[in-house]
């Protein structure tokens, strides 16, 4: 196929044998069903068109892998001979046959176009070329016969032009062939039409072209053309052009005397025809072929040396173009512009495209100026882009020949026009401006400045676009300096809006940066110096910084290399740009603050500083430029400059939140641009002095980056991956501020991140050697928390705390983060955060403990509120519901599911929609934030899988392992914390502050640590002591009645302690753990009831027991657990379903009374 490429990537042209096949295949009846010679002879006398040959020819021509027969007995020649016979029968016979018409209009032209113009022609051998010559001679006879009949066959004339074109591939390949001139002299009776050039002319012989031309003359073709030109009625311009064009393409081989003798009258007739074209004729779309006609006539006149007529033809071409241009019709004007552009291009294309004797440039220029071609053309159609593209070429050609008056006229063409027309006129002027002289440039700039003063912003955008186009189209750098100066002045006009200033400066920068003229290097330095001066004067600062950034960034246009870095470093040395920018930032900030105070306003990010830009944009532009200098110039930020920025935007009491945010982000992103000493100075002297209340997300990120970098440099931290650190030395620099920030920062999200950081450096990310003594490690952390807790408690005024608590609760999250909170509120927040920190520490550490708990947390010992779990199992495919309570362990849920499915609990894998719960067996349901009707997904395994390092069965079955597990459990932080009973007294003290958040945090912490042993020991009286009255012996154990009064009488205990005691009581009456002793439990229940325990429980539900000022959540929890206990004691039922209604208060009262 022709689309194949050879190894060099050039088209691989097949030989004729590949395209057409060997000549023998065309005479093989089996292959082509071609008739034998006697059938061809029979066809020669028939007037019917041979359909079999035609269909076969169509299939071979109209395909990608075409193959065209070239012998007289084959389909192409047979069809042409049949067409000749039909033409000879009279006008309309051939055209009347549908298949013959298709052959003449489509198949035959396609076949000959491929035979004489395709690149494959250059590789065919002589035999094939001779066959093509035979086909062309038959074609000449056919066309000659058809030209003698009306109407004029346009398609055949186009094909004649193709075959007679002396530059086609066929004639180029056979250019050395000669012809027998004497024979043609005899055949044509001395009236020879075509001759070979003389050897002295150095032209190719192209004898076969001469053969084809003379064959055409032999059959009367030339005479037919002549008669058609002179005698055809209503001859159309397109037809006249088609009659002349074939001869103009081979004029070098026409005998000059024959041409002058036979065609002089025809050429004069054609010239007259063009002169007599009416205005309506010039409006027609096909009028564009006037140029082709006159060029064809001119080439024939040159051949026969009629020089006088040649000049008149050139003038006629110009006059006709002017006539079309002056007609107010788009087709006429567009064809005229195309002709003008063709006239402009012909002198430069005369050598490459064979244009002979084109009209000279000087004559064209003189004609255009004299007839004001550009001005006339600008009279309309300026909204058409194609039309204006032609005008650009004309304007660029005229260049300096345009007068100032004409330039003014062109400028006025776009006044009060729509944006498209304005843009098109500006494009025309921009194209011409590159050729303007100094006077023209100055005049154009004057027109622009004059229009700028009264123009709207929209029109000013167009003017700046025009100036930019002029600068970019200036390939020699002639006008760039003036354009740059004009843009700079326009940007500095006080009345210019921000959009106009930015557009002018962007255009200014693009001309400077995108230009490769060495002349503009000095301009770059000049305008950089101007920007520096504007910054020093503290005027036009934002725009000047933006331009400096654009200019400096332009150094890196061609890639990052040492030379570019050197240029930025040189700029820093020359102007000390870092100091200049830092000082400018301080000045601008101070001016913004001063302006705000004069207006009695507070500085904000959207405050307009110079009539154009906001305060934040001004700050951001300063920081961006400094960051660019540091990064791209391979510079380090001096400590002094860093302090300047910090003191201006962060430490400054007049700085706004937006200032701090931008500064924090800038320091965070520029950490690598500071030396270690500078980093340490900033961290110790600036970062650690920031008030936590002003920290935002950006401030936290900055703090974290400095903290990690400084401790990495000091080898206290060790980096193991992109985001993971190992603590090698617990004495971390800045750890004290990390605690302070976590406790005092206002944003809860930031506090959460800081708490995570403290947990990481306190336990999670400690190196192995630092985790050897876990008990000491946990005690150190607990001591740290409680020492801070004591300090916060001292700062809180206990006497006013209860009354202040409701107010604090109401304000809650509605407190404006921009206002600094009161000291008391800060201390309340500190206490809450410390309790949360203790909770998180216990949770993080104890999550890694996979042994069943022998010292379980308090929350797992008593029943919570009922909750229903919806279980969906994959195998077996089943759905069911489990009745649980909020304090139930996940291990218990797993066991219930296993019992339901009749498999081992080790074969059950449970999860929720977003995670599996393989390592959460010791967690409670409420700790996983499960809701009622929570969906649980279950997967079962055929083999047992241990979801923990040691299973419950394995541990409980070995006393040695029990001891080992208990020893390991005693090292957990929750167990260590509960071992000291003072912690429970501290928690109660915190509850007395009266703040809801603190109370909630205390309750959450108590749930995580084992139950207070003192309470449990006191309740043992219901197991080990007989029912008896009070004893006077102080050494004897307390009686059950005294225990009930001491622990469950609201008059003796606080509501918080009462709730806790009720929870412990619930764990004894309704134990939730599997290892509880059923006999002891039954004994406890009986002794508790006999001691009057039910009455104590019912009393909790009395209205006056818990006054209304008691925390609502505490009262609700007390009532809920009291109801649960009453139900159990009265009905021996455990409340497991939320839909089950407990007994009413009236019922309970009556039962108690009885």
């Amino acid at each position: 196929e022709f689309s194949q490429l050879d190894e060099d990537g050039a088209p691989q042209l097949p030989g004729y044998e590949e395209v057409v096949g060997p000549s023998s295949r065309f005479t093989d009846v089996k292959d082509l069903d071609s008739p034998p010679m006697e059938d061809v002879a029979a066809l020669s006398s028939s007037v019917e068109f041979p359909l079999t040959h035609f269909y076969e020819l169509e299939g071979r021509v109209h395909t990608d892998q075409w193959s065209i027969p070239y012998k007289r007995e084959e389909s192409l020649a047979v069809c042409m001979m049949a067409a000749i016979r039909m033409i000879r029968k009279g006008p309309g016979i051939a055209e009347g046959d549908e298949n013959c018409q298709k052959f003449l209009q489509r198949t035959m032209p396609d076949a000959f176009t491929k035979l004489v113009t395709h690149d494959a022609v250059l590789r065919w051998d002589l035999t094939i070329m001779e066959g093509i010559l035979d086909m062309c001679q038959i074609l000449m006879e056919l066309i000659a016969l058809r030209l003698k009949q009306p109407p004029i066959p346009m398609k055949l004339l186009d094909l004649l032009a193709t075959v007679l074109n002396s530059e086609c591939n066929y004639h180029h390949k056979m250019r050395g062939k000669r012809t027998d001139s004497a024979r043609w002299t005899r055949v044509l009776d001395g009236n020879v039409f075509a001759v070979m050039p003389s050897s002295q002319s150095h032209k190719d012989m192209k004898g076969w072209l001469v053969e084809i031309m003379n064959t055409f003359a032999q059959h009367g073709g030339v005479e037919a053309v002549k008669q058609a030109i002179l005698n055809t009625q209503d001859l159309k311009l397109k037809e006249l052009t088609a009659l002349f064009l074939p001869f103009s393409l081979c004029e070098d081989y026409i005998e000059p005397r024959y041409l002058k003798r036979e065609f002089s009258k025809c050429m004069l007739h054609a010239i007259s025809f063009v002169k007599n074209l009416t205005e309506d004729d010039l409006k027609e779309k096909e009028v564009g072929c006037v140029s082709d006609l006159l060029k064809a006539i001119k080439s024939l006149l040159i051949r026969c040396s009629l020089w006088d007529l040649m000049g008149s033809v050139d003038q006629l071409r110009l006059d006709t173009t002017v006539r079309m241009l002056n007609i107010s019709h788009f087709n006429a004007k567009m064809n005229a512009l195309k002709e003008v552009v063709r006239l402009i291009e012909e002198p430069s294309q005369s050598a490459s495209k064979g244009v002979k004797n084109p009209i000279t440039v000087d004559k064209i220029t003189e004609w255009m100026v004299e007839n004001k071609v550009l001005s006339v053309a600008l009279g309309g159609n300026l909204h058409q882009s194609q039309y204006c593209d032609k005008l650009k070429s004309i304007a660029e050609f005229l260049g300096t020949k345009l007068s100032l008056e004409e330039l003014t006229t062109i400028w006025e063409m776009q006044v009060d026009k729509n944006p498209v027309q304005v843009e098109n006129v500006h494009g025309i002027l921009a194209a011409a401006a590159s050729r303007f002289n100094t006077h023209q440039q100055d005049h154009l700039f004057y027109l622009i400045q004059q229009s700028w003063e009264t123009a709207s912003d929209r029109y000013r955008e167009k003017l700046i676009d025009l100036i930019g186009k002029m600068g970019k189209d200036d390939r020699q750098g002639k006008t760039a300096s003036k354009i740059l100066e004009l843009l700079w002045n326009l940007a500095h006009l006080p009345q210019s809006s921000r959009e106009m200033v930015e557009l002018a400066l962007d255009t200014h920068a693009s001309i400077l940066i995108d230009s490769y003229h060495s002349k503009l290097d000095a301009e770059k330095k000049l305008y950089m110096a101007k920007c520096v001066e504007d910054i020093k004067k503290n005027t036009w600062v934002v725009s000047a910084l933006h331009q400096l950034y654009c200019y400096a960034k332009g150094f890196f246009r061609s890639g990052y290399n040492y030379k570019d870095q050197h240029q930025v470093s040189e700029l820093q040395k020359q102007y000390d740009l870092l100091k200049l920018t830092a000082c400018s930032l301080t000045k601008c900030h101070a001016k913004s603050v001063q302006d705000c105070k004069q207006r009695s306003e507070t500085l904000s990010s959207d405050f307009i500083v110079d009539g154009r830009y906001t305060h934040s944009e001004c700050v951001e532009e300063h920081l961006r430029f400094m960051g660019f200098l540091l990064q791209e110039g391979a510079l380090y930020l001096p400590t002094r400059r860093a302090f300047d920025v910090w003191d201006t935007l962060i430490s400054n009491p007049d700085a706004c939140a937006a200032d701090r945010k931008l500064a924090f982000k800038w320091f965070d992103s520029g950490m690598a641009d500071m030396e270690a000493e500078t980093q340490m100075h900033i961290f110790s002297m600036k970062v650690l002095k920031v008030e936590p209340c002003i920290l935002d997300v950006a401030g936290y990120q900055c703090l974290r980056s400095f903290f990690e970098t400084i401790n990495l440099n000091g080898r206290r931290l060790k980096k193991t991956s992109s985001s993971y650190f190992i603590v090698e030395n617990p004495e971390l620099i800045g750890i004290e501020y990390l605690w302070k920030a976590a406790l005092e920062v206002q944003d809860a999200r930031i506090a959460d991140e800081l708490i995570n950081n403290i947990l990481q450096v306190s336990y999670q990310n400690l190196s192995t050697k630092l985790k050897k003594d876990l008990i000491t490690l946990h005690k150190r952390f607990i001591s740290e928390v409680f020492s801070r807790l004591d300090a916060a408690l001292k700062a809180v005024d206990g006497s006013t705390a209860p009354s202040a608590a409701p107010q604090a609760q109401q304000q809650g999250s509605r407190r404006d983060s921009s206002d600094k909170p009161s000291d008391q509120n800060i201390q309340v927040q500190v206490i809450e955060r410390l309790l949360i920190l203790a909770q998180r520490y216990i949770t993080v550490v104890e999550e890694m403990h996979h042994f069943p708990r022998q010292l379980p947390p308090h929350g797992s010992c008593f029943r919570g509120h009922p909750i229903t779990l919806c279980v969906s199992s994959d195998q077996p495919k089943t759905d069911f519901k489990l009745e649980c309570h909020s304090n139930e362990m996940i291990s218990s849920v797993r066991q219930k599911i296993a019992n339901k499915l009749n498999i081992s609990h080790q074969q059950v894998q449970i999860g929720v929609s977003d995670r599996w719960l393989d390592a959460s067996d010791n967690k409670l349901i409420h700790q996983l934030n499960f809701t009622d009707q929570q969906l649980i997904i279950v997967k079962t395994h055929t083999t047992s899988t241990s979801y923990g390092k040691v299973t419950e069965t394995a541990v409980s079955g070995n006393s040695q392992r029990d001891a080992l597990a208990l020893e390991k459990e005693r090292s957990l932080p929750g167990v260590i914390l509960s071992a000291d009973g003072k912690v429970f007294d501290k928690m109660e003290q915190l509850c007395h502050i009266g703040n809801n958040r603190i109370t909630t945090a205390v309750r959450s912490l108590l749930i995580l640590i084992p139950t207070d042993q003192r309470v449990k020991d006191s309740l043992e009286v219901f197991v080990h002591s007989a029912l008896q009255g009070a004893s006077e012996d102080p050494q004897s154990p307390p009686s059950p009645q005294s225990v009930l009064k001491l622990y469950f009488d609201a008059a003796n205990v606080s509501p918080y302690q009462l709730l806790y005691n009720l929870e412990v009581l619930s764990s004894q009456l309704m134990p939730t753990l599997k290892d509880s002793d059923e006999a002891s439990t039954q004994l406890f229940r009986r002794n508790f009831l006999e001691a009057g325990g039910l009455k104590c429980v019912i009393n909790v539900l009395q209205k006056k027991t818990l006054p209304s000022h008691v925390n609502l959540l505490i009262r609700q929890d007390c009532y809920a657990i009291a109801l649960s206990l009453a139900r159990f004691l009265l009905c021996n039922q455990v409340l497991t379903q939320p839909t089950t209604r407990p007994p009413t208060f009236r019922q309970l009262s009556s039962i108690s009374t009885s």
Side-chain angles (χ1 to χ4, degrees), residues 591-761:
K591 187 175 184 302
S592 297
V593 171
Q594 183 181 1
D595 292 344
C596 284
K597 289 181 178 179
Q598 290 176 354
R599 301 180 190 180
S600 300
E601 296 178 6
T602 303
L603 183 63
S604 62
S605 60
D606 55 358
F607 178 74
I608 305 298
V609 295
D610 59 356
R612 296 192 182 101
Y613 296 94
T614 64
H615 171 69
S616 284
E617 287 173 329
C618 178
V619 172
E620 193 170 1
E621 199 64 52
H622 281 86
L623 296 179
R624 181 177 72 154
F625 183 57
M626 290 182 70
F628 172 80
L629 292 174
L630 294 171
Q631 293 173 13
E632 305 300 344
L635 304 172
Y636 283 110
L637 179 65
T639 304
R640 183 62 221 157
R641 303 287 78 82
F643 282 9
D644 288 344
V645 175
W646 192 280
D647 292 340
T648 301
L649 300 179
I650 298 177
S651 302
N652 190 349
D654 293 322
C656 62
D659 293 338
R660 293 190 290 271
K661 183 176 181 179
L662 289 172
F664 281 136
K665 284 185 176 181
W666 187 77
F667 277 103
D668 182 28
S669 63
M671 194 70 63
D673 300 320
M674 292 180 277
E675 294 177 315
E677 185 179 358
T678 303
Q679 292 172 348
M680 188 63 191
H681 284 154
I682 297 174
F683 186 57
S684 60
M685 301 174 67
K686 298 298 180 183
V687 177
L688 300 184
K689 302 295 174 61
V690 174
E691 286 293 330
C693 61
I694 68 171
L695 280 179
D696 55 8
V697 175
Y700 161 72
Q701 294 292 347
C702 180
L703 167 62
R704 180 178 174 178
S705 297
F706 270 103
F707 179 79
E708 292 175 353
T709 303
I710 296 301
N711 285 287
L712 278 172
N713 294 342
R715 299 190 177 182
R716 290 173 169 81
L717 291 179
K718 179 181 178 182
K719 194 171 186 179
T720 59
S721 64
S722 59
S723 58
Y724 189 74
F725 297 91
I726 294 294
V727 179
E728 297 287 345
N729 184 345
E731 302 298 327
L732 297 173
I733 301 174
I735 186 64
E736 180 65 26
Y737 182 80
L738 216 60
W739 278 83
K740 178 180 174 65
L743 301 178
E744 297 182 12
V745 69
Q746 297 301 299
D747 193 324
R749 297 171 301 167
I750 300 173
D752 188 64
E753 291 294 328
L754 286 165
I755 288 173
N756 285 335
N757 297 147
I758 292 174
L759 295 177
Q760 288 169 357
V761 300

Side-chain angles (χ1 to χ4, degrees), residues 282-573:
L282 295 177
K283 292 179 182 178
E284 295 295 330
K285 191 173 182 180
E286 63 182 28
V287 77
C289 62
V290 167
S291 174
D292 296 328
L293 173 61
L294 294 177
K295 285 195 294 184
I297 294 173
K298 181 179 178 180
S299 63
L300 296 176
L301 290 172
I302 293 172
R303 179 60 178 167
C304 58
S305 302
L306 295 175
W307 305 107
D308 295 338
L309 277 178
M310 187 188 73
S312 64
V313 169
D314 284 344
Q315 189 59 47
L316 177 60
R317 186 179 176 188
L318 297 175
D319 293 342
T320 305
T321 303
V322 171
R323 286 181 63 196
M324 289 191 292
L325 199 60
N326 283 293
I327 296 174
S328 58
H329 189 273
F330 179 73
N331 281 338
K333 283 185 174 292
M334 192 65 192
N335 283 320
L337 289 183
K338 290 179 180 178
E339 180 63 11
V340 174
V341 173
R342 204 176 289 127
L343 289 167
I344 293 171
E345 293 174 349
E346 279 179 3
S348 60
Q349 297 176 348
S350 59
S352 60
K353 293 197 174 182
V355 179
K356 296 181 179 179
N357 290 83
I359 303 176
T360 63
V361 174
D362 291 340
K363 185 174 181 179
I364 295 172
T365 304
E366 182 183 352
W367 167 74
M368 292 177 70
V369 172
E370 181 181 346
N371 292 276
K372 296 184 178 180
V373 170
L374 184 59
S375 298
V376 173
L378 284 166
N381 303 308
L382 293 178
H383 60 286
Q384 295 285 347
S385 58
Q386 293 179 342
Y387 186 88
C388 292
D389 287 341
K390 305 299 179 185
L391 289 177
K392 288 179 185 178
S393 300
I394 297 171
E396 191 172 1
F397 173 77
L398 287 172
T400 56
K401 301 298 181 181
L402 284 172
S403 65
L404 299 183
E405 292 77 11
E406 194 168 13
L407 190 57
T408 303
T409 302
I410 297 172
W411 180 261
E412 291 174 351
M413 290 288 182
Q414 44 91 41
V415 176
D416 297 329
K417 295 294 191 297
N418 64 58
V420 175
Q421 292 175 298
V422 171
E423 189 172 345
N424 287 337
V425 172
H426 287 179
I428 295 167
L429 289 170
S434 60
R435 303 288 184 90
F436 283 174
N437 55 35
T438 304
H439 296 297
Q440 289 173 313
Q441 291 172 7
D442 292 341
H443 186 67
L444 181 57
F445 292 156
Y446 167 76
L447 294 173
I448 292 173
Q449 287 177 315
Q450 192 177 37
S451 299
W452 181 275
E453 295 176 0
T454 57
S456 63
D457 279 356
R458 189 172 183 180
Y459 183 66
R460 286 176 177 176
E461 288 181 16
K462 300 293 183 183
L463 292 177
I464 292 175
D465 287 339
L466 168 61
I467 298 169
K469 289 176 183 177
M470 291 166 57
K472 292 173 183 178
D473 291 343
D474 180 21
R475 300 178 181 87
Q476 299 178 353
K478 293 180 179 179
T479 62
S481 296
K482 291 184 178 181
I483 290 173
L484 291 171
E485 184 180 359
L486 175 61
L487 287 169
W488 187 263
N489 293 334
L490 292 177
H492 277 72
L493 291 175
Q495 66 269 26
S496 296
S497 65
R498 170 178 172 172
E499 291 73 17
M500 293 303 103
V501 171
E502 289 179 348
L503 184 58
L505 292 180
D506 288 344
T507 306
H508 189 279
S510 64
I511 294 173
L512 265 184
I513 294 170
D514 296 338
S515 174
Y516 291 90
H517 301 304
S518 58
K519 298 178 182 178
L520 294 183
D521 289 342
E523 297 288 338
K524 293 176 183 177
K525 296 179 181 179
L526 171 65
Y527 284 103
M528 291 184 112
K530 288 185 176 183
C531 289
V532 170
E533 288 302 316
D534 283 332
I535 296 172
K536 287 180 178 179
K537 295 175 183 177
N538 202 30
T539 58
W540 209 65
V541 176
V542 179
S543 299
L545 281 170
H546 177 76
Q547 286 307 95
L548 268 181
Y549 172 77
C550 292
Y551 297 153
K553 193 175 181 180
F555 290 143
F556 296 88
R557 181 189 59 229
S558 58
Y560 190 90
N561 54 54
Y562 174 76
K563 181 180 178 181
D564 295 328
Q565 278 191 347
H566 179 69
Q567 287 178 330
V568 176
S569 300
E570 286 299 319
L571 285 174
Q572 167 63 18
K573 289 179 182 179

Side-chain angles (χ1 to χ4, degrees), residues 791-803:
L793 266 172
K794 290 179 182 178
V796 175
D797 186 2
S799 61
T800 59
S803 61

